[in-house]
Amino acid sequence: MTDTITTPETARAPRAAVLDEAHLGDIRGALGTIKLDDTAPRKGLSAKLKTLLAIVGPGLIVMVGDNDAGAFDTYGNAGQNYGTSLLWTLLLLVPVLYVNQEMVLRLGAVTGVGHARLILERFGKFWGAFSVIDLFLLNALTIVTEFIGVTLAVGYLGLPKTLSVLVAAAVVIAAATTGSFRRFERTAILLCVGSLLLIPIYFMIHPSTGTMVHDFVVPGMPHDSKLSDVMLLIIAIVGTTVAPWQLFFQQSYVIDKRITPRFMKYE
C-alpha cells in the first residue's frame, strides 16, 4: 500500500468531471456520426461540413424551440397592436441569447456535467434546490401555455380540442421516451424546419423593409399608446425570449450528445 502525500498544490487542484459510461462513445447525431477514435484533423470544406452536420442539434433546437405558443402569442400581440415599433427589443435580446447559449455550451463540453449540478457544487444546496424548483415550476407553466396553443390551433381548424390535446401529449411523451437519441434529434430538427413556414407569411404581410430596419435599430415607444400596456408587453417579450429551461436543457443536451471541447466551434 502506498501512502498519498497531500501538498498545498494538490489540495487546491480543481476536481475534474468524470463522465459516466452513458456519455462516452461515438457522437451519433441526426445528420451524421463521429467515431470515438476519429481524431483526424478536419481539413477541407467537405470534412468540416460533415462534422458540422453530425454536431448540429443542441444550439439549433434550443434557439428554434423558444418559438413556442407563448412566444407566438406575445410577438403576435406586439405586431398586431404596435406594428414593428418594438422590434428594437429583439436587438437587445439577441446578444443575451448568444451569450447564454455559448456559456452553457462551454460549461457542458468542458465539465461534462449538467447546469443544476454545477450550481449545486459551486453555490451549495440552497441555490441548487432553488434553481431546480424554479425550473420545475416555470416549465410546468410553459407546458400549460403549449397546450393552450394546441387548443387554439385545433379550434381554428375545427378539430375536437380534448382529443387533440391528448394526442399531442401522447406524441410528446412518445418522442421523449423512445430510447433513441438520434430519433429524438431527427424529430426535433424536423420541427425546426417547420419554422421556415414563417417565410411565406412574411411575404404575405409584406411589411415595409425600411420601417422594419429603422424600428430594429432605433429604440422608440409606440405613439398614442398607454405606457403601462407597452411596458407589460416588453416584459412579456423578454420573459418569453430568455427562459431558464434553455440553459439547463442545452447543457444537458451537449453532454448527452457527447460533444467535447474539440467540437465547440461547430456547435
Side-chain angles (χ1 to χ4, degrees):
M1 181 179 298
T2 303
D3 294 333
T4 301
I5 299 176
T6 302
T7 65
E9 288 74 15
T10 57
R12 291 192 299 265
R15 291 177 296 173
V18 179
L19 294 176
D20 58 41
E21 294 182 357
H23 296 140
L24 299 175
D26 301 338
I27 297 176
R28 299 184 181 276
L31 305 175
T33 300
I34 300 176
K35 295 292 185 180
L36 179 62
D37 58 356
D38 182 359
T39 58
R42 267 52 183 176
K43 296 181 178 179
L45 181 61
S46 176
K48 293 180 179 180
L49 179 60
K50 289 180 179 178
T51 302
L52 175 63
L53 291 175
I55 295 297
V56 71
L60 174 66
I61 293 172
V62 169
M63 179 183 69
V64 180
D66 200 44
N67 291 329
D68 56 3
F72 269 89
D73 180 67
T74 303
Y75 301 145
N77 274 296
Q80 173 183 283
N81 298 331
Y82 306 115
T84 59
S85 59
L86 294 179
L87 273 179
W88 57 269
T89 58
L90 298 184
L91 178 63
L92 299 179
L93 291 171
V94 166
V96 177
L97 288 172
Y98 182 89
V99 170
N100 282 351
Q101 289 203 251
E102 187 189 33
M103 175 186 68
V104 292
L105 160 65
R106 292 180 180 276
L107 288 174
V110 173
T111 66
V113 296
H115 202 65
R117 179 174 166 185
L118 290 182
I119 294 175
L120 175 66
E121 293 187 355
R122 176 63 179 84
F123 299 102
K125 294 182 179 180
F126 174 80
W127 290 111
F130 179 86
S131 65
V132 173
I133 294 173
D134 173 70
L135 177 68
F136 177 82
L137 293 176
L138 291 176
N139 281 357
L141 294 174
T142 300
I143 291 173
V144 170
T145 64
E146 308 305 337
F147 285 110
I148 291 175
V150 171
T151 60
L152 293 175
V154 298
Y156 179 80
L157 297 174
L159 300 174
K161 295 181 180 180
T162 302
L163 179 61
S164 299
V165 168
L166 293 176
V167 171
V171 170
V172 171
I173 294 173
T177 58
T178 57
S180 172
F181 184 91
R182 173 170 282 183
R183 189 182 302 119
F184 159 77
E185 187 169 76
R186 285 175 175 171
T187 303
I189 290 180
L190 181 63
L191 293 175
C192 290
V193 174
S195 295
L196 296 177
L197 292 174
L198 291 173
I199 296 177
I201 293 178
Y202 167 81
F203 288 103
M204 290 170 61
I205 300 174
H206 55 80
S208 169
T209 303
T211 302
M212 287 183 60
V213 172
H214 175 272
D215 291 341
F216 185 68
V217 298
V218 180
M221 302 297 284
H223 299 293
D224 301 325
S225 299
K226 191 175 180 180
L227 180 61
S228 59
D229 292 341
V230 177
M231 292 305 300
L232 183 62
L233 186 56
I234 292 176
I235 293 172
I237 292 174
V238 175
T240 195
T241 306
V242 182
W245 71 264
Q246 300 167 334
L247 307 178
F248 291 84
F249 177 77
Q250 185 175 349
Q251 187 163 331
S252 296
Y253 198 159
V254 166
I255 300 165
D256 289 339
K257 194 166 181 178
R258 300 161 180 167
I259 296 175
T260 62
R262 179 187 176 202
F263 299 108
M264 283 197 299
K265 64 179 182 180
Y266 291 97
E267 170 57 21

